[in-house]
Amino acid sequence: MTSEIATRNLSKWYGNVLGLSDVSLEIEAGITGLLGPNGAGKSTFMKLVTGQMKPNIGTVSVRGAAVWNNTSLFSTIGFCPEADAFYEDVTGWEFLTGLLRLYGFPDREVRERAERALDIVDLAADKDRKIKGYSRGMRQRIKFAQAIAHDPEIIILDEPLSGLDPLGKRKLIKLVKDYRAEGKTILVSSHVLPEIEAMTSRIVLVHQGKILAQGDIHYIRDLIEAHPHMISVTCADPRAVAARFVADRSILKMSFGTDGRTLVVETHNRDAFFSRLQEAVLEAGVEVDEIRSPDDNLQAVFDYLVGK
Amino acid sequence: MSIEVEGLCFSYGSITALDGVSLRLGEGAIGLLGPNGAGKSTFLRILLGFLTPEKGRGRVLGYEIGREQALIRRSVGYMPEDDCFIAGMDAVTFTSYFGELSGMPRQEAMKRAHEVLFYVGLGEARYRLLDQYSAGMKQRLKMAQALVHDPQLLFLDEPTSNLDPQGRKEVLDLIEDIVSKKDMTVLVSSHILADIETLCSSVVILSKGRVAAEGRMEDLRAIHYSLYEVKVKGDGTGFKRELEAMGCRVDETEDRVIKVYMPPEGGRMDIFRAASRAGDQIRFFTKSQTSLEDLFAQVAGEE
Amino acid sequence: MTVIREKGYYHWDGSLVERRFPWWPITRTGILLAFRKKRFKLFFAAAYLPSLVFLAALYISERLEDFKFMLRGSERVIQITPGSFKMYMTNDGLLFLLVLVLVFAGSGLVADDLKHNSLQLYFARPLRKRDYLLGKMAVVFFFMLILTLVPGLLLFVFKLIFSGSFKFFTAYPWLPLSIIGYTALLTVFFAFYTLLLSALSKNSRYVMILIFMVYLFSDILYGILHGIFRSPYMALFSIKSNLAQAGSFLFGQKLPFGFPAFWSFAVLAALCAVSALVLRRKIRGVEVIK
Amino acid sequence: MKPVDSNAPRPSPWLSVRRVFGFFFFLGRRTGRARVFFLLGLIPVALAVMVRILLAGRAAEAMSVFNDILMVFYLQFYVVILALFYGTSVLAEDIEGRTMAYLVTRPVSKPSVVVGKYAAYSALMAIMTEVSLTLSFFIMNSGRLGEASLYRVFFGYAGVLALAILAYTGLFTFLGSLLKRALLVGLVFGFGWENVIQYFPGSTQKFSVVHYLKSLLPRRPVTGRGTLSVLLFRLEPTATLPAILVLVLVGAVCVGLACWLFRTKEYLPEE
């Protein structure tokens, strides 16, 4: 797959504050989640990709072309900033059409695109109200609208879901997935891990300006062989189930939950364990309430890599 | 009983924000939920006395809203939703400043400010200017100023928004630790349902200015039919065919979670038998309680 | 007995105290923030220039003989009278520098709180609106008094020291009172004036322009109206002229404008009243957006 | 590597300047501040009405009052204050308000943002000042409406005002792109340096914008009342053409420098 966004040992700092150091990355079409603690460099990276900042070392290019001051590139990029900052005295409609006109679209097309964008984020009813009077959720949605109104190929979203209620979040996640289906490239940064997991399994972990890991979450999970996989089984008689595994060499550690109903197993070979677990449960006739692997989500991978 | 309100009504001009809310909230951590514009922030602001309700009255910690507002504010810590700080100040001065304004003597406020800043994880950055604080650090700073005068009641409006995973964990641990000491009530309004589920023992769901649901977490979440969620290795077509053959209704979400609606007579072991018959390996299995999200959608009615 | 301090939240064992001046922390912090602004100290120091000039004049007037060689031309002997104090207190240069200090220190007093919406933090505390406003005003009181009252009284004392006798004091015992009266008037007015403009907008840059523009414009308006109508009452439009008129009255000097000083006091008081009204309405716990 | 599709709208520089102009001209009118400044501009009109009543018939004197008092009011106070606020906000507004991201990520070059905003705010100021000037001029000279020469004089005044706007706004835009505390420095320059320099004889006056403006005034403002008159007596005017040239040059060079600075420097509130 050709890479849409590519950086080669990209470094950026302002004053003595480190933003990014030596980041080489390739981002293909589809949704890529950008993840990292506060001040890890996510916003810095996004500002470099959208040409708001000049790299100190290295290059950042979109579709092969360097980004800094390359305005012809910006008509194919949509950016949704993190800051809750607007031209407060204008209405949603004026804000959207004003920015759309900067692309040089003829007036008729500006109106069409604005209407379509407003429908997508369902703000059509509030288009004539001043942004000053918008609620936090509506402000977030109008900000998203201005990022996609000109139908860009590459969409950069910095914390797009902050301030939205669960229903708003679901709509936006669905929307981002629709854009993936249209073959666009979407880079999303978010702090709330479940949101990123709901959108994509392809993530880039950034920490203290460096790339910790990049790729499919599960692939990364399996990659980290050093760290054994945890599986928790909740049932009426966990000790009966455990008894069947004592002799199994691939089991590293077993522990029992304080509630006396859960068995937590750490093993290198998840595959073997799961198949044997199924037989054990059926033979022992033990009612199983729940089987879960607590560390197969982003939070665990993150904690592990960040060295918790 | 920390908060009692009767028939609260309030509207911003033509938009009614609260339409007859009556609640009696006890100790521990209480979750306040509701879609945008359901009236959560308005409710908090009325309790704090920023807004006077058109109808209805209420008592916070036994003090009457409106008349004994100063007494309420002495023992309440408020963490607002939107960004607020004072430019040109560092974190220690900022926190001790608001401690003093709450009535703490200056030296005590300074001592307590350092302590509280460590609680919220701003220990190292406490001498830096607030202008250089990131959104997440400002979020923790708001928490610090709400805790500095050691209130009996904490109002937290979106405490974990724009916090990174580590930050969120620290703030959640801090709130859990506070609540566990049983001598401080916390009212948490948040959109991140996972947080409410970990923190709160009871929940109030507001929708369109009215109380849509209220009660302890367990009671609200118990559901009647048995719904199981299963993930198998591979695509699981064989497994699904076996289940349908046994009369279960099956559908699959986009991230490959198979939802199995088991008829009353069937047992959960049938699912395991179906899997082994189909030769598929179950890797995730749970009896689904209505997750707060479904409850939220169901109650708020927009699903 | 080993005690391990557990990690986690600890209560504060002290108890909240009902303070006599709840507004004092606001003032102290306001002053602290002003001094932290870059280049503020420069403007602040510059505002002392007029008092240094007056001090030099004081010195020269006492030691006329030593400075004979400098004054060969002018017969006019420098004689320090309450009039010269009044002239110092109400001259354009000092007022211009005071306004610059106001622009620098006062523009953000309320505007920054509105911009970063920290009002809700203030009013989530047992703080009345009066305390908040008094605290912010006291910041302006501090800067105005330290730039007018303190130098004024010091100059009076230096006059006694340089002349080596209390003759001046016995001749004009009421002079310190006029100095205090005038500086109090000036300070209260400028406090209301600055806070009113600072509460009008979130953008402190716009407030800076307002503080400067309204003061200067009022004087230009006087100049123009006077040019047209030639009537002394036009001076009521100018803040500077009103202060000068009120100052002359307080220093018992000839009134610079041909109308009773009462009118100037009335105009200044009216402006303060307007400011109080606007501030009461504008400062609320939270911006209620319709 | 998908080529950058050529049909993607890439407005020509001139079109993007016009579009930026349109957006900020609209935005400028919308803020409350524009109304306040516009009202301020109506005060001279009220004064003109008063003068008209008082000086009924004595046209010559009306013209001198206009030239010495009103024009001085415009050039040395009203335009400077407007230019100071609007000039410095060409860049500071979007940086402080953190709305810069919306502009910089559009296919409009940074210089066209500066030029577009500069032009928008200058146009806004022009409306405020020229409307006020026209009203007050024709009210004061309503007696002589028939004379052709009156209109020539009027266009002289209108021209000087326009040049003042261009020069001052350009200068303060440049200041805004250079310094963080541009407004304060601008205040000291506009009301400190420009007034004080009148006292100095010889060529030092050449270092102030107001000198060239006053050299362009049809009648040398000699007499005059009010605090500003005392400052005028040392005027050694430069010839008309060089004065115009200098003013235009000041505006153009300053805006050019602002564009260059904005293009090379990153304008971000300290992260």
Side-chain angles (χ1 to χ4, degrees), chain B residues 15-28:
Chain B
I15 308 151
T16 53
L18 288 181
D19 184 5
V21 167
S22 304
L23 283 170
R24 296 169 64 80
L25 302 176
E27 270 37 24

Side-chain angles (χ1 to χ4, degrees), chain C residues 3-23:
Chain C
V3 176
I4 302 160
R5 177 182 162 84
E6 263 177 57
K7 205 166 87 62
Y9 181 76
Y10 275 83
H11 286 289
W12 168 58
D13 40 28
S15 63
L16 298 179
V17 68
E18 187 67 39
R19 192 180 292 104
R20 241 186 14 282
F21 303 116
W23 48 267

Side-chain angles (χ1 to χ4, degrees), chain B residues 12-13 45 50-51 70 73-74 76 78 80 82-90 93-94 97-98 100-106 108 111-112 115 119 129 145 147-151 174 177-178 181 183-184, chain C residues 5-19 22-30 32-33 36 112-113 116-128 136 285-290:
Chain B
Y12 298 104
R45 288 185 188 138
F50 287 166
L51 307 170
R73 289 184 185 160
R74 271 158 71 90
V76 164
Y78 175 56
D82 28 35
D83 237 1
C84 44
F85 66 102
I86 297 180
M89 253 190 187
D90 59 278
T93 332
F94 177 86
Y97 177 46
F98 282 108
E100 260 190 278
L101 289 180
S102 297
M104 294 169 80
R106 184 166 180 211
E108 287 284 336
K111 179 193 77 172
R112 175 74 175 169
E115 199 180 312
Y119 289 151
L129 281 184
Q145 66 83 27
L147 283 172
V148 67
H149 56 301
D150 187 19
L174 176 59
D177 179 42
I178 290 171
K181 295 218 167 32
D183 50 11
M184 201 153 129
Chain C
R5 177 182 162 84
E6 263 177 57
K7 205 166 87 62
Y9 181 76
Y10 275 83
H11 286 289
W12 168 58
D13 40 28
S15 63
L16 298 179
V17 68
E18 187 67 39
R19 192 180 292 104
W23 48 267
W24 167 245
I26 298 178
T27 312
R28 194 191 62 235
T29 316
L32 182 86
L33 283 180
R36 277 194 184 169
D112 284 347
D113 284 347
H116 300 301
N117 51 52
S118 41
L119 279 185
Q120 49 194 341
L121 292 182
Y122 280 103
F123 291 114
R125 257 87 201 159
L127 196 69
R128 287 190 311 274
K136 293 286 178 180
V286 77
E287 206 63 299
V288 181
I289 309 143
K290 286 295 166 298

Side-chain angles (χ1 to χ4, degrees), chain B residues 2-283:
Chain B
S2 57
I3 300 172
E4 293 157 72
V5 277
E6 274 304 314
L8 278 187
C9 296
F10 185 84
S11 53
Y12 298 104
S14 59
I15 308 151
T16 53
L18 288 181
D19 184 5
V21 167
S22 304
L23 283 170
R24 296 169 64 80
L25 302 176
E27 270 37 24
I30 303 137
L32 192 60
L33 285 171
N36 278 355
K40 301 195 300 295
S41 293
T42 314
F43 180 63
L44 289 181
R45 288 185 188 138
I46 286 177
L47 293 183
L48 276 165
F50 287 166
L51 307 170
T52 45
E54 284 137 23
K55 279 207 298 297
R57 32 156 226 79
R59 308 178 76 79
V60 173
L61 299 171
Y63 302 115
E64 184 71 26
I65 299 182
R67 273 211 325 284
E68 294 160 313
Q69 207 50 57
L71 292 169
I72 294 179
R73 289 184 185 160
R74 271 158 71 90
S75 30
V76 164
Y78 175 56
M79 174 178 178
E81 176 191 6
D82 28 35
D83 237 1
C84 44
F85 66 102
I86 297 180
M89 253 190 187
D90 59 278
V92 178
T93 332
F94 177 86
T95 318
S96 64
Y97 177 46
F98 282 108
E100 260 190 278
L101 289 180
S102 297
M104 294 169 80
R106 184 166 180 211
Q107 303 312 334
E108 287 284 336
M110 187 60 82
K111 179 193 77 172
R112 175 74 175 169
H114 285 276
E115 199 180 312
V116 167
L117 284 169
F118 272 105
Y119 289 151
V120 293
L122 284 177
E124 325 77 37
R126 62 187 191 282
Y127 296 111
R128 275 171 54 189
L129 281 184
L130 300 186
D131 318 55
Q132 293 145 15
Y133 267 39
S134 72
M137 294 157 87
K138 284 189 195 135
Q139 189 73 12
R140 298 188 207 199
L141 188 69
K142 285 191 294 187
M143 181 93 180
Q145 66 83 27
L147 283 172
V148 67
H149 56 301
D150 187 19
Q152 288 164 27
L153 182 56
L154 256 184
F155 289 161
L156 305 178
D157 204 343
E158 299 290 342
T160 52
S161 68
N162 50 46
L163 278 184
D164 59 47
Q166 201 231 341
R168 245 179 91 225
K169 214 149 79 59
E170 272 175 24
V171 168
L172 291 181
D173 292 348
L174 176 59
I175 299 176
E176 265 177 286
D177 179 42
I178 290 171
V179 169
S180 66
K181 295 218 167 32
K182 292 281 178 301
D183 50 11
M184 201 153 129
T185 308
V186 179
L187 188 59
V188 188
S189 151
S190 175
H191 281 144
I192 305 172
L193 298 174
D195 292 354
I196 298 280
E197 282 184 276
T198 49
L199 277 178
C200 302
S201 51
S202 61
V203 142
V204 173
I205 301 184
L206 293 179
S207 173
K208 298 187 181 65
R210 272 195 217 83
V211 177
E214 188 220 340
R216 283 169 6 90
M217 191 69 93
E218 301 76 26
D219 321 336
L220 290 175
R221 289 176 60 181
I223 55 169
H224 345 298
Y225 50 83
S226 48
L227 160 67
Y228 299 99
E229 285 170 13
V230 186
K231 268 193 195 163
V232 281
K233 189 176 175 207
D235 62 9
T237 40
F239 176 56
K240 280 188 265 182
R241 238 189 338 347
E242 288 292 333
L243 286 171
E244 269 141 13
M246 287 182 354
C248 312
R249 192 160 64 81
V250 177
D251 61 33
E252 192 174 350
T253 64
E254 62 267 24
D255 40 14
R256 296 205 340 273
V257 173
I258 302 171
K259 289 202 165 185
V260 182
Y261 295 86
M262 182 61 78
E265 68 284 356
R268 65 189 77 186
M269 296 315 288
D270 301 336
I271 297 179
F272 284 86
R273 284 189 203 83
S276 64
R277 275 204 302 279
D280 281 328
Q281 193 187 70
I282 293 181
R283 294 200 149 196

Side-chain angles (χ1 to χ4, degrees), chain A residues 12 54 85 94 103 146, chain D residues 19 30 94 102 106 266:
Chain A
K12 175 70 195 176
K54 197 168 42 182
E94 288 153 355
Y103 289 90
Q146 65 84 25
Chain D
R19 289 292 166 90
R30 193 38 90 72
D94 279 302
Y102 295 123
R106 308 285 154 184
E266 289 151 344

Side-chain angles (χ1 to χ4, degrees), chain D residues 3-265:
Chain D
V4 175
D5 38 20
S6 54
N7 61 25
R10 164 80 175 78
S12 69
W14 172 237
L15 178 66
S16 43
V17 167
R18 269 213 336 271
R19 289 292 166 90
V20 169
F21 174 88
F23 185 54
F24 281 98
F25 186 64
F26 170 79
L27 203 65
R29 293 205 308 277
R30 193 38 90 72
T31 55
R33 292 188 280 279
R35 277 188 287 280
V36 166
F37 287 136
F38 188 76
L39 289 178
L40 183 61
L42 294 185
I43 292 177
V45 177
L47 296 177
V49 169
M50 284 187 246
V51 167
R52 184 71 193 85
I53 300 161
L54 271 165
L55 297 176
R58 299 199 295 283
E61 215 183 307
M63 185 51 90
S64 83
V65 163
F66 182 83
N67 185 76
D68 302 349
I69 297 179
L70 283 191
M71 272 319 277
V72 164
F73 165 78
Y74 284 127
L75 294 181
Q76 279 205 271
F77 175 73
Y78 192 46
V79 165
V80 179
I81 281 281
L82 287 180
L84 195 53
F85 179 70
Y86 281 110
T88 51
S89 55
V90 164
L91 286 170
E93 198 176 39
D94 279 302
I95 295 168
E96 265 167 37
R98 291 183 296 171
T99 49
M100 185 59 83
Y102 295 123
L103 300 175
V104 167
T105 56
R106 308 285 154 184
V108 281
S109 66
K110 289 187 180 160
S112 49
V113 170
V114 173
V115 173
K117 272 189 88 171
Y118 166 75
Y121 286 158
S122 301
L124 204 61
M125 284 165 59
I127 291 177
M128 294 179 192
T129 48
E130 300 289 359
V131 162
S132 165
L133 177 96
T134 321
L135 287 176
S136 41
F137 183 83
F138 286 111
I139 289 173
M140 286 182 80
N141 301 300
S142 51
R144 300 169 45 210
L145 286 183
E147 295 162 35
S149 68
L150 185 70
Y151 296 97
R152 204 169 41 70
V153 169
F154 167 68
F155 284 117
Y157 282 130
V160 169
L161 205 56
L163 284 172
I165 292 173
L166 290 181
Y168 273 124
T169 315
L171 182 66
F172 292 130
T173 303
F174 169 60
L175 265 183
S177 62
L178 196 64
L179 307 165
K180 201 167 170 327
R181 282 234 177 285
L183 195 112
L184 269 166
V185 174
L187 266 180
V188 171
F189 169 78
F191 293 96
W193 169 263
E194 291 243 305
N195 290 359
V196 165
I197 200 162
Q198 315 292 323
Y199 290 91
F200 299 103
S203 64
T204 42
Q205 290 185 8
K206 298 282 190 292
F207 292 101
S208 82
V209 174
V210 74
H211 165 76
Y212 299 99
L213 290 173
K214 286 221 281 303
S215 338
L216 289 173
L217 284 180
R219 294 160 34 79
R220 295 293 167 273
V222 178
T223 60
R225 285 288 306 119
T227 55
L228 297 174
S229 61
V230 71
L231 308 176
L232 308 180
F233 59 88
R234 279 195 177 270
L235 183 73
E236 288 125 7
T238 21
T240 311
L241 200 56
I244 295 175
L245 199 61
V246 163
L247 289 170
V248 169
L249 211 60
V250 162
V253 163
C254 286
V255 172
L257 282 173
C259 291
W260 178 76
L261 262 174
F262 184 41
R263 194 176 141 73
T264 46
K265 266 171 80 175

